[in-house]
């Protein structure tokens, strides 16, 4: 029997060759969603709907009329993409019960290709966060918390918790999508990426997370965080799968005026890759405080690998990087304050019981509907946009944003093809540690390497490169030139091959005795 | 013509238009305000212009006009635009602000704004931007309106309009008002307050319809000027087809910013007057407001910077409950719309899909004849009075009606205009009909005028035929004439007999005439006319009577 730890392309081949049916695949995924429910990756699982879709895919496969490589492939979608007839909550009380009447363009494109939509994945409320810990459906737990690898390392270090409280976060805000792919409950998932929300959890969950160039994928139907930075993100278990999904999703959408008009040419990545003509930049500003030693080592190792393969690796400077976080904070808050204005309880979503006046109803609805993080950003964004503050904050932040974007332009103009950076400072933090700092502080720490790609609208991809000493994934990121997706993913695939990242060995939730037993077994080994 | 001289003088001195306005405002104030102003009028008669200007309050009026764009679909969505459709039947997901929906700019609305801008001599910005203007209101579902605050589509235009001098019909003066900018923006929905059930109902049919906001500089000084400017703008928009511009249907909404000051001094604190739904009420509201503010200042009071509503029943303005006091709209660039780039023949990129670009030069070529030009042409071509040319254009279809009559009748256009404006339009107004609903066709009127021209019918009889035609029974003027026996008495003998009878029956008057009081002859003529029921030619009556009497 085929396992679920196939890549999408492998599963696609198996379906095509009749080795497995779409229905079987779907059933196994659904069963595994149940088995891994501790991860809390899904907000909504649509069992019946998914099986129906799978049956239809099987019929097509039997008739030899499959729609394409995605036909019958189980996928998941972050719960901030509108899905027709399926509740779309953004993990917020404000949208609980909201059922959109239309599909986001990227969702529609997946469905048009026969992809089987298993459900909607968990996130930080309105994608505001970097831990997937701040939604009304509770935090997402990193599947690696329940892996043999992490358990063994914990046991070796004598860190055995009997309360099950040593689990680590997924990162975020697309933690649910990252966990779903990482835990083998689906073959690909959609996330969104505004400051690193796809790449950060992908790195922590040991999968590939891709942020396309701004304007390449439609945002229509994606419930916005920061319109000028949001992009749909792709999460898969390998780079080839990402390229495949990208080919299906990319292209102009008449419903999104910010998508580029030029047609997109889908591509597959070559199996033998030559990086010798490549020039890879290592931004010196990315040696940030808090960067773990093992991450630095991994980064260096990857640079060496490239150099050894003949690539030119050089240090470059992105001098305005240090302003990125604060600049992002202003721009994000301002757009959030604006985007959230529509949630007033009048037409959809949560509405409070207060009806003394429309204004009182607005106030109470928004007080009840949003969590502290969202409310905090609305308040600061409103402040930044006040007439007297606009120039001092918003306008200045926009100027800084331009400087940050120009940093990249200068580097790329100097002949550098792409940049190699860490994705995160270190491996994933334990939840109980993570929540000791507030959401904003955490975002400032976690998004440090990912955010400027959003500021500049550039494509970036993270791929799992090694396990940390704690047995948790570490990711590396490539940032490419705008619309140079093919080059970016080709190099990522090359590195993917070199690092040979291990497969997650799912162990599940184990009781205390079992753990002790295992600990004894491990220690008894020579 | 003192006015014109005054203007010229100021122009010579190179004074700013503001001062000129101030000077003119003096007389306008007399029109607008009542008692207190009378005294000043007297003063003016004595010609003490200089001192008067220095101590007199004059009005300063600027307008903000929202014109609903005439287009099939809304500004940023494909919902249809239709008047009086069932509530909430024309609402797309975007119009309802469902999360994740994005605006897509309607090309037709852009073209309408460019065309309007060109007609108003604006500079068309090759690049313009969209902004969000935030405020919470139930009929604004997104919590913000998309507008063009920073860089609008058109700027620096001029609207030229004319108005009568001192109510004299044959004297018109030409004025201009500067157009600061034209910006594209979304309309809001409508709130319907149900006071009985203490609830508000929202209709989003209007939400998202394209508007052109025209901001006029405060170059006007009284209600009459503002009304004339608005009426001219209405005509222009209608001729362009960019807006139906009907004020009573809300396609044209005018807010007036009004202040008073003494010429040479800085502008006073202004009040904004809203809820004005006709040009006549606009004039009333402005003049009332100028009077009100003047009285406040005369009494040492302070004018408040506030929003006021015009109550057309009471003819006055009253303070409006302000939206939570002073608003900060927290403007922000609209991130979902790229800059709007317009092209001309030179800058048009070769590889662009023509459906995706707006070419200003093409729109310029398609610009129709503007009302001012049309009026001038009518006056020159038909030698009618300028005021008649206004009437012809102000009534939808009247100009075409007039021209269609002129085309087929032998009558002088100057006679035709009298019939068209006094008789036809008079009847239409009385029965509240449009020109298109007229029971009398241009050809019928032309036929009637021909009968008159060829002296087959007298003028009073022609009026009778007109009345018959108005009944709309499908008869031609000739048929009516024959049926009712309304033709002129061609038989001179018959007419002589009637005259003879009148002379015999009115010997007293005849004596008077013979004594030299020739005025009495007119009375006899009138009596003959009566006897013939208007079917006799007055010239012939006079000749016969004179022959018989002298």
């Amino acid at each position: 029997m085929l396992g679920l730890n196939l890549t999408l392309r492998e599963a696609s081949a198996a379906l095509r060759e009749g080795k497995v049916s779409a229905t079987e695949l779907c059933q196994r995924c659904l069963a595994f969603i149940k088995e891994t429910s501790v991860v809390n990756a899904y907000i909504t699982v649509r069992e019946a709907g998914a099986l129906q879709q799978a049956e239809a895919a099987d019929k097509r496969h039997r008739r030899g009329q499959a729609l394409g490589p995605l036909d019958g492939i189980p996928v998941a979608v972050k719960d901030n993409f509108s899905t027709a007839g399926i509740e779309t909550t953004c993990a917020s009380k404000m949208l609980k019960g909201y059922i959109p009447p239309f599909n986001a363009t990227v969702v529609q494109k997946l469905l048009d290709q026969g992809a089987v939509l298993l459900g909607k994945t968990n996130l930080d409320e309105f994608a505001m966060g970097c831990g997937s810990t701040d939604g009304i459906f509770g935090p997402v737990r990193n599947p690696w918390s329940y892996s043999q690898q992490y358990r063994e390392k914990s046991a070796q270090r004598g860190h055995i918790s009997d309360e099950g409280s040593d689990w680590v976060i997924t990162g975020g805000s697309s933690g649910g999508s990252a966990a779903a792919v990482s835990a083998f409950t689906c073959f690909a998932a959609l996330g969104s990426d505004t400051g690193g929300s796809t790449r950060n959890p992908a790195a922590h969950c040991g999968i590939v997370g891709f942020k396309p160039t701004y304007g390449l994928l439609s945002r229509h139907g994606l419930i916005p965080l920061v319109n000028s930075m949001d992009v749909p993100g792709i999460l898969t278990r390998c780079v080839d799968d990402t390229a495949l999904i990208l080919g299906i999703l990319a292209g102009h959408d008449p419903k999104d005026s910010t998508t580029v008009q030029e047609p997109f040419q889908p591509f597959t990545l070559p199996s033998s890759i030559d990086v010798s003509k490549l020039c890879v930049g290592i931004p010196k500003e990315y040696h940030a405080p808090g960067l773990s030693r093992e991450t630095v080592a991994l980064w260096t190792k990857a640079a060496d690998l490239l150099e050894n393969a003949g690539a030119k690796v050089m240090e470059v400077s992105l001098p305005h990087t240090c302003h990125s976080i604060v600049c992002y904070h202003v721009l994000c808050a301002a757009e959030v304050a604006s985007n959230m204005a529509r949630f007033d309880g009048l037409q959809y979503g949560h509405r409070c019981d207060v009806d003394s006046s429309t204004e009182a109803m607005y106030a109470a609805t928004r007080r009840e509907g949003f969590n502290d993080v969202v409310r905090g950003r609305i308040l600061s964004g409103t402040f930044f946009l006040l007439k007297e503050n606009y120039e001092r904050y918003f306008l200045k932040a926009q100027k800084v944003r331009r400087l940050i974007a120009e940093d990249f332009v200068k580097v790329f103009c100097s002949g550098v093809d792409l940049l190699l950076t860490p994705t995160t400072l270190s491996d994933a933090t334990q939840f109980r540690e993570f929540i000791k700092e507030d959401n904003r502080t955490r975002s400032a720490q976690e998004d440090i390497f990912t955010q400027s790609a959003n500021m500049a609208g550039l494509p970036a991809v993270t791929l799992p490169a090694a396990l940390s000493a704690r047995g948790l994934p570490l990711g590396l990121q490539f940032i490419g030139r705008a619309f140079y997706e093919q080059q970016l993913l080709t190099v990522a695939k090359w590195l993917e091959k070199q690092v040979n990242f291990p497969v997650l060995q799912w162990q599940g939730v184990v009781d205390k005795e079992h753990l002790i037993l295992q600990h004894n077994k491990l220690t008894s080994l020579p | 013509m003192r006015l014109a001289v005054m203007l010229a003088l100021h122009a010579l001195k190179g004074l700013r238009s503001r001062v000129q306005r101030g000077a003119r405002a003096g007389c306008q104030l007399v029109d607008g305000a009542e008692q207190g102003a009378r005294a000043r009028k007297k003063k003016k008669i004595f010609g003490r212009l200089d001192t008067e200007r220095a101590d007199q309050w004059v009005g300063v009026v600027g307008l903000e006009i929202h014109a609903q764009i005439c287009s099939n679909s809304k500004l940023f969505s494909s919902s249809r635009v239709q008047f009086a459709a069932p509530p909430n039947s024309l609402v797309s997901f975007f119009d309802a602000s469902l999360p994740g929906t994005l605006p897509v700019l309607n090309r037709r609305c852009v073209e309408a704004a460019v065309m309007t801008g060109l007609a108003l001599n604006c500079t068309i910005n090759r690049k313009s931007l969209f902004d969000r203007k935030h405020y919470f209101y139930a009929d604004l579902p997104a919590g913000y309106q998309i507008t063009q605050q920073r860089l609008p589509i058109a700027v620096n235009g001029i609207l030229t309009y004319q108005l009568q001098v001192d109510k004299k019909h044959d004297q018109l003066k030409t004025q201009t008002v500067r157009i600061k900018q034209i910006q594209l923006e979304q309309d809001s929905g409508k709130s319907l307050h149900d006071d009985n059930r203490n609830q508000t109902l929202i209709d989003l049919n209007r939400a998202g319809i394209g508007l052109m906001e025209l901001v006029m500089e405060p170059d006007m000084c009284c209600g009459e000027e503002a009304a004339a400017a608005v009426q001219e703008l209405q005509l222009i928009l209608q001729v362009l087809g960019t807006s139906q511009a009907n004020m009573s249907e809300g396609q044209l909404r005018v807010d007036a910013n009004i202040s008073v000051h003494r010429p040479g001094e800085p502008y006073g604190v202004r009040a904004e007057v809203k809820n004005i739904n006709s040009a006549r009420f606009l004039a009333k509201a402005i003049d009332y407001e100028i009077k009100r503010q003047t009285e406040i200042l005369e009494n040492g009071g302070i004018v408040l910077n506030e929003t006021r509503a015009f109550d057309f029943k009471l003819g006055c303005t009253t303070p409006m409950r302000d939206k939570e006091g002073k608003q900060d709209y927290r403007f922000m660039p609209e991130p979902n719309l790229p800059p709007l780039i317009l092209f001309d023949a030179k800058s048009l990129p070769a590889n662009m899909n023509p459906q995706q670009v707006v070419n200003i030069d093409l729109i310029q070529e398609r610009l129709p004849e503007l009302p001012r030009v049309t009026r001038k042409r009518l006056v020159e071509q038909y030698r009618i009075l300028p005021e008649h040319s206004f009437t012809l254009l102000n009534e939808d279809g009247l100009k075409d009606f007039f021209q269609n009559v002129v085309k087929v009748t032998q009558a002088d256009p100057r006679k035709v205009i009298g019939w068209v404006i006094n008789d036809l339009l008079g009847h239409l107004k009385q029965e509240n009909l449009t020109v298109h609903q007229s029971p009398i066709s241009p050809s019928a009127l032309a036929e009637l005028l021909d009968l008159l021209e060829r002296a087959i019918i007298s003028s009073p009889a022609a009026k009778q035929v007109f009345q018959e035609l108005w009944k709309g029974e499908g008869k031609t003027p000739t048929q009516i004439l024959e049926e009712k026996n309304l033709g002129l008495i061609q038989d001179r003998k018959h007419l002589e007999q009637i005259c003879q009878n009148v002379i015999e029956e009115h010997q007293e008057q005849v004596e008077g005439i013979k004594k030299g009081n020739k005025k009495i002859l007119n009375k006899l003529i009138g009596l003959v006319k009566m006897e013939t029921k208007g079917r006799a030619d007055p010239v012939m009556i006079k000749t016969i009577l004179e022959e018989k009497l002298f």
Side-chain angles (χ1 to χ4, degrees):
Chain A
M1 189 175 106
L2 286 162
L4 284 176
N5 57 353
L6 300 172
T7 66
L8 193 159
R9 296 217 309 176
E10 287 163 351
S12 181
L15 278 172
R16 202 166 48 241
E17 291 157 14
K19 287 182 184 162
V20 68
S21 73
T23 306
E24 279 175 79
L25 216 48
C26 181
Q27 280 168 340
R28 272 195 258 156
C29 283
L30 289 168
F32 212 60
I33 289 173
K34 283 199 184 108
E35 196 182 324
T36 59
S37 62
V38 65
V39 167
N40 198 21
Y42 289 83
I43 291 174
T44 303
V45 179
R46 54 188 294 266
E47 216 157 309
L51 284 168
Q52 241 172 22
Q53 270 191 286
E55 274 169 41
D58 278 333
K59 273 186 197 160
R60 288 190 293 268
H61 275 291
R62 278 198 295 275
R63 287 200 305 261
Q65 292 171 340
L67 297 168
L70 274 194
D71 204 352
I73 298 288
V75 298
V77 170
K78 190 178 181 180
D79 208 22
N80 60 350
F81 285 94
S82 305
T83 42
I86 306 169
E87 191 180 358
T88 298
T89 66
C90 286
S92 174
K93 187 177 177 187
M94 188 55 99
L95 278 181
K96 209 152 181 266
Y98 169 64
I99 298 175
F102 67 98
N103 279 320
T105 298
V106 284
V107 171
Q108 190 61 52
K109 284 185 169 184
L110 289 178
L111 295 176
D112 289 347
Q113 290 290 315
V116 174
L117 179 57
L118 292 174
K120 305 293 292 291
T121 59
N122 206 347
L123 64 154
D124 289 300
E125 182 162 333
F126 282 103
M128 294 181 210
C130 57
S132 303
T133 51
D134 282 334
I136 51 160
F137 299 100
V140 185
R141 300 180 179 209
N142 194 322
W144 285 85
S145 313
Y146 307 97
S147 70
Q148 216 175 320
Q149 290 99 326
Y150 179 61
R151 291 289 176 202
E152 280 173 9
K153 297 285 182 187
S154 296
Q156 278 169 12
R157 289 183 295 154
H159 289 190
I160 298 173
S161 159
D162 54 357
E163 294 162 278
S165 62
D166 59 346
W167 57 274
V168 298
I169 59 153
T170 54
S173 64
S174 313
S177 287
V181 173
S182 160
F184 308 108
T185 64
C186 63
F187 291 90
L190 291 184
S192 61
D193 196 312
T194 310
S197 278
T198 292
R199 289 160 289 156
N200 176 281
H204 285 321
C205 292
I207 58 170
V208 176
F210 170 65
K211 174 218 172 287
T213 309
Y214 185 84
L216 190 60
L217 266 62
S218 168
R219 292 181 294 115
H220 171 251
L222 167 62
I223 298 177
L225 175 58
V226 185
N227 303 277
S228 61
M229 297 185 211
D230 291 342
V231 288
I234 299 168
L235 298 112
T236 59
R237 288 199 281 271
C238 71
V239 180
D240 274 328
D241 290 352
T242 288
L244 189 147
I245 301 276
L246 175 65
I248 285 158
L249 301 184
H252 176 67
D253 179 7
K255 291 180 180 139
D256 178 357
S257 308
T258 62
T259 51
V260 291
Q261 302 269 349
E262 288 74 28
F264 178 81
Q265 212 51 53
F267 54 82
T268 50
L269 305 171
S271 43
S272 95
I273 298 163
D274 176 16
V275 294
S276 66
K277 291 184 186 68
L278 215 60
C279 180
V280 179
I282 308 288
K284 64 176 182 190
E285 289 80 6
Y286 281 49
H287 289 278
L291 186 59
S292 75
R293 272 167 54 196
E294 52 185 352
T295 306
V296 177
L298 182 64
W299 188 14
T300 313
K301 185 189 151 198
D304 290 345
L305 281 171
L306 282 160
E307 207 162 39
N308 294 340
K312 188 177 166 195
V313 178
M314 58 189 277
E315 190 184 78
V316 296
S317 174
L318 299 166
H320 297 95
T321 302
C322 57
H323 305 297
S324 183
I325 294 287
V326 66
C327 167
Y328 174 86
H329 179 69
V330 173
L331 295 177
C332 173
E335 283 200 37
V336 162
S338 174
N339 287 331
M340 297 294 139
R342 69 188 59 208
F343 301 108
D344 54 15
L346 275 182
Q347 294 189 82
Y348 43 79
H350 177 69
R351 186 195 288 189
C352 69
D353 296 329
V354 178
D355 62 354
S356 55
S357 75
T358 311
E359 287 76 14
M361 191 275 281
Y362 286 158
T365 295
R366 289 162 70 78
R367 175 77 185 74
E368 292 167 13
F370 295 133
N371 70 6
D372 289 348
V373 177
V374 179
R375 279 205 309 278
R377 291 202 198 179
I378 291 173
L379 286 174
S380 46
T382 303
F383 175 81
F384 296 142
L385 289 177
L386 287 176
K387 204 173 175 187
E388 73 214 58
N389 296 332
Y390 183 80
E391 276 189 37
R392 201 153 20 123
Y393 294 99
F394 188 82
L395 213 59
K396 195 170 269 183
Q398 277 194 314
K399 287 177 185 167
V400 175
R401 179 181 183 177
R402 175 163 293 183
L403 291 175
I404 291 168
E406 281 169 2
D407 280 353
F408 283 103
V409 172
K410 278 179 198 152
V411 165
F412 288 132
C413 281
S414 74
V416 170
D417 293 302
L418 34 75
L419 303 172
L420 173 66
T421 80
T423 312
T424 56
L425 289 169
S426 63
D427 59 2
T429 312
Q430 284 187 359
F431 176 70
R432 57 184 178 200
E433 287 300 316
F434 185 80
I435 55 173
K436 285 180 184 165
E437 298 280 5
D438 67 14
N439 180 294
R440 174 163 145 57
T441 312
R442 284 301 182 192
S443 296
Q445 294 164 348
E446 288 287 329
D447 292 346
I448 184 156
F449 301 132
T450 47
Q451 199 177 66
S452 30
N454 297 81
M455 291 276 194
L458 300 173
V461 64
T462 177
L463 66 150
L467 284 187
S468 69
R470 295 160 68 214
L472 294 172
L474 288 171
L476 287 175
Q477 173 181 242
F478 285 110
I479 302 173
R481 300 169 198 241
F483 302 105
Y484 275 64
E485 267 73 13
Q486 187 163 5
Q487 183 185 53
L488 178 74
L489 293 180
T490 304
V491 178
K493 181 178 173 179
W494 178 86
L495 186 62
E496 182 183 49
K497 272 180 155 180
Q498 312 301 311
V499 296
N500 200 16
F501 183 75
V503 174
L504 183 151
Q505 302 295 322
W506 177 259
Q507 198 171 39
V509 188
V510 276
D511 54 40
K512 192 178 160 188
E513 281 158 46
H514 188 89
L515 272 175
I516 293 165
L517 193 75
Q518 202 172 30
H519 180 60
N520 292 341
K521 237 191 323 192
L522 284 168
T523 44
S524 66
L525 284 171
Chain B
M1 287 313 295
R2 187 176 59 195
L3 209 70
V5 174
M6 236 169 61
L7 283 176
L9 269 177
H10 283 296
L12 276 176
K13 285 179 189 163
L15 289 177
R16 288 180 58 81
S17 60
R18 195 180 304 160
V19 182
Q20 295 173 24
R21 269 185 290 110
R24 279 179 284 132
C27 56
Q28 300 302 349
L29 185 63
V30 176
D31 289 345
E34 284 153 34
Q35 313 218 320
R38 290 243 169 84
R40 276 171 239 147
K41 191 172 185 178
K42 263 187 196 152
K43 204 158 79 177
K44 191 160 71 179
I45 291 166
F46 295 113
R48 304 203 34 187
L49 269 171
D50 287 339
T51 51
E52 171 194 305
R53 264 209 322 277
D55 60 10
Q56 194 165 52
W57 295 102
V58 296
V60 176
V61 181
L63 302 176
E64 281 174 28
I65 300 176
H66 288 88
Q68 216 174 61
I69 296 172
C70 193
S71 62
N72 292 329
S73 57
K74 294 184 180 179
L75 182 56
F76 296 121
S77 79
S78 53
S79 308
R80 269 182 310 129
V81 173
Q82 192 188 314
F83 188 66
N88 294 311
S89 62
L90 308 172
V91 186
S92 71
F93 301 147
F94 174 79
D95 304 327
S97 292
L98 296 194
T101 53
L102 300 170
V104 179
L105 184 57
N106 180 347
R107 182 192 150 96
R108 158 73 194 155
C109 294
V110 175
E111 288 173 339
V114 170
M115 185 176 257
T116 305
L118 291 172
L120 295 173
N121 302 300
C122 289
T123 305
I124 307 295
N125 281 326
R126 301 304 148 115
K127 176 184 169 186
S128 60
L129 302 170
F130 290 95
D131 304 282
R132 292 179 179 181
K133 175 181 179 177
H134 298 87
Y135 59 93
F136 283 102
Y137 207 74
D139 54 26
L140 187 77
Y144 57 82
Q145 175 198 38
I146 304 179
T147 178
Q148 293 194 298
Q149 187 232 4
R150 289 167 299 162
L151 195 51
I153 190 161
V155 292
N156 297 336
I158 279 183
L159 170 68
T160 304
Y161 62 98
Q162 291 173 305
L163 69 166
Q164 290 165 7
V165 179
D166 299 334
K167 308 257 179 229
K168 283 182 201 150
H169 290 305
D170 53 346
Q171 288 180 21
L172 291 169
K173 61 177 172 179
T174 301
Q175 309 256 83
T176 59
V177 50
R178 289 168 298 155
I179 310 281
K180 184 173 176 241
Q181 64 187 56
I182 300 176
Q183 62 200 48
L184 280 167
E185 63 184 35
Q186 297 171 297
D187 208 341
S188 65
K190 278 182 182 165
S191 295
L192 307 155
H193 302 288
D194 181 346
D195 289 333
N196 293 332
R197 288 184 215 171
N198 191 27
Q199 62 182 8
T200 301
L201 302 168
I202 308 293
D203 178 5
L204 293 180
N205 280 353
R206 205 181 69 177
I209 292 181
L211 295 178
M212 293 179 277
E213 182 178 338
L214 293 100
V215 182
M216 291 184 181
E217 299 282 7
D219 293 348
M220 292 152 289
C221 64
C222 64
E224 195 193 352
E225 284 189 3
V230 165
Q231 279 170 331
E232 185 67 9
L233 176 69
Q234 258 178 315
L235 270 184
I236 292 172
L237 296 175
Q238 284 161 356
V239 165
L240 298 177
T242 57
S243 172
Q244 292 179 341
N246 188 330
M247 279 182 88
S248 60
E249 284 178 17
Q251 292 142 347
L252 198 78
R253 283 163 248 158
V254 182
D255 298 336
N257 289 310
I258 302 147
S259 65
V260 298
H261 76 143
R262 289 198 173 94
E265 289 177 10
Y267 287 165
V269 176
R270 68 188 194 188
E272 185 180 17
V273 181
K274 288 180 180 281
N275 284 6
I276 307 169
N277 64 6
S278 77
R280 200 161 56 88
F281 290 150
L282 173 69
K284 274 193 168 177
I286 289 171
D287 291 338
Y288 175 87
E289 192 57 23
I290 290 172
K291 183 179 160 227
R292 185 186 72 85
Q293 293 184 15
T294 303
E295 282 170 4
I296 288 174
L297 294 171
E298 288 283 350
N299 295 324
I302 295 168
V303 176
L304 295 178
N305 178 8
E306 62 181 349
T307 306
R308 301 176 68 87
F310 179 67
D311 185 324
F312 68 92
K313 283 178 194 146
L314 300 174
C316 67
T317 66
T318 50
M320 273 172 91
R321 200 171 59 87
D322 235 344
K323 289 179 200 164
E324 312 144 28
K326 205 106 183 91
Q327 288 265 326
D328 188 326
Y329 292 118
R330 290 160 282 130
F331 284 100
M332 186 192 93
E334 167 56 65
N336 295 318
L337 288 167
L340 170 58
I341 307 291
L342 303 174
F343 298 95
D344 54 33
K346 274 185 198 160
S347 66
L348 196 67
N351 56 348
M352 286 279 260
N353 179 356
Q355 292 301 309
Q356 303 254 341
V357 295
V358 172
N359 183 340
I360 299 169
D361 289 340
L362 281 184
I363 297 172
Q364 179 85 56
E365 281 168 27
R366 293 207 317 254
L367 217 57
E369 183 181 76
L370 293 177
R372 197 157 54 95
V373 181
T374 309
R375 281 193 296 259
K376 190 160 173 269
R377 184 170 56 77
L378 290 173
V379 169
E380 283 167 3
Q381 188 174 347
Y382 302 114
R383 298 167 60 215
I384 57 175
L385 292 174
E387 61 156 317
H388 287 153
S389 72
F390 271 85
T391 312
L392 286 183
L393 262 69
N394 288 350
E395 297 299 327
D396 186 31
L398 197 63
K399 175 185 67 112
D400 289 340
F401 192 104
F402 166 75
Q403 286 185 302
N404 286 336
V405 176
V406 169
K407 240 183 262 171
V408 290
T409 183
Q410 293 156 357
D412 186 322
R414 283 178 294 181
K415 274 191 185 148
V416 176
I417 194 77
W419 279 84
V420 165
I421 288 180
N422 300 330
D423 298 277
L424 182 81
L425 187 60
H427 275 75
L428 289 172
K429 291 264 165 187
Q430 206 161 23
E431 299 195 12
N432 216 1
L433 296 175
T434 67
V435 175
H436 302 284
Q437 292 169 315
S438 165
I440 300 180
S441 68
S443 60
L445 183 59
E447 188 183 334
L448 175 61
L449 295 182
D450 276 346
L451 294 173
L452 195 63
E453 188 69 18
R454 295 191 344 245
I456 293 170
I457 189 169
S458 72
S459 188
K463 303 269 171 188
Q464 283 184 52
V465 174
F466 186 91
Q467 292 298 344
E468 288 300 314
L469 283 172
W470 186 260
K471 289 178 185 164
E473 287 164 351
K475 290 172 189 159
T476 66
T478 313
Q479 281 171 336
I480 294 168
L481 174 104
E482 279 165 6
E483 271 175 34
K484 302 259 167 185
N485 197 20
L486 290 168
L488 274 184
I489 298 169
Q490 304 291 341
D491 181 355
R492 187 179 166 107
K493 288 253 162 59
H494 180 53
L495 196 57
E496 279 175 9
Q497 187 57 50
I498 293 169
C499 290
Q500 189 58 41
N501 292 346
V502 168
I503 289 170
E504 282 164 18
E505 283 163 26
H506 297 85
Q507 280 305 313
E508 210 177 307
Q509 280 87 349
V510 172
E511 289 304 312
I513 293 167
K514 287 187 172 163
K515 277 178 190 162
N517 190 350
K518 297 216 170 158
K519 277 187 185 163
I520 299 174
L521 182 63
N522 288 337
K523 193 170 181 194
L524 285 187
I525 294 173
L527 286 167
V528 177
K529 273 188 188 167
M530 253 170 58
E531 201 68 20
T532 60
K533 297 195 175 80
R535 291 170 51 231
D537 176 6
V539 179
M540 199 189 282
I541 298 173
K542 195 178 176 210
T543 318
I544 293 172
L545 284 176
E546 280 170 350
E547 278 173 18
K548 286 187 184 291
L549 292 172
F550 308 113

